[in-house]
Amino acid sequence: EKRTAMAAKQIFIVEDEALLLCELEDLVVDLGYELAGSATSVDRAMDKLSDGLLPDAALLDLNLNGMPSDPVADRLVERGVPIIFVSGYGARGLDERFSGFDVLQKPYDETALADALKRALDAKG
């Protein structure tokens, strides 16, 4: 297949449930994006970001193995990376400093994910 002239946007996925992570990775690729990488914990995500990872947007689980993902969100915000939070609890538990970001409720459908990614990337410009 022919590659488009514009490189696909890269999405970083942080999700602690292996099955959901695989599902999200598949959905992101199906929607035409590239995976910038993935992580299953706050520590792993922070390591990847410390190594210079700079995705176009991030899908971030609000809670990773019982830990809030706020440090990861803060680092992404510092770098101007739009975040889409994913959570089994909807927007409950989202710190108010992140109130401008989309929250996708699990289980998410492809349309909601596609819309959220498009909004996040459009807002980034």
Side-chain angles (χ1 to χ4, degrees):
E1 83 211 42
K2 239 170 67 183
R3 294 281 299 167
T4 50
M6 227 174 85
K9 299 287 187 189
Q10 298 212 327
I11 312 299
F12 181 42
I13 304 174
V14 186
E15 165 62 68
D16 59 355
E17 292 176 55
L19 200 66
L20 284 176
L21 177 60
C22 288
E23 197 177 288
L24 263 181
E25 287 175 340
D26 289 346
L27 279 173
V28 163
V29 171
D30 287 348
L31 290 170
Y33 299 105
E34 283 181 11
L35 293 172
S38 58
T40 53
S41 69
V42 169
D43 288 345
R44 287 206 183 104
M46 294 301 274
D47 283 348
K48 292 201 173 188
L49 292 169
S50 297
D51 289 343
L53 178 73
L54 190 61
D56 293 296
L59 289 162
L60 181 58
D61 191 349
L62 270 178
N63 189 307
L64 298 163
N65 305 308
M67 287 180 68
S69 60
D70 294 10
V72 182
D74 285 331
R75 179 72 54 88
L76 289 163
V77 168
E78 276 168 25
R79 296 185 178 185
V81 176
I83 302 166
I84 298 150
F85 289 98
V86 289
S87 166
Y89 311 106
R92 274 207 331 263
L94 183 66
D95 190 290
E96 61 191 28
R97 68 185 186 277
F98 305 126
S99 62
F101 293 107
D102 269 325
V103 180
L104 287 182
Q105 176 95 32
K106 295 178 190 177
Y108 15 74
D109 64 72
E110 193 164 346
T111 309
L113 178 64
D115 291 348
L117 281 168
K118 186 172 176 352
R119 272 195 304 275
L121 292 163
D122 285 352
K124 186 183 179 191

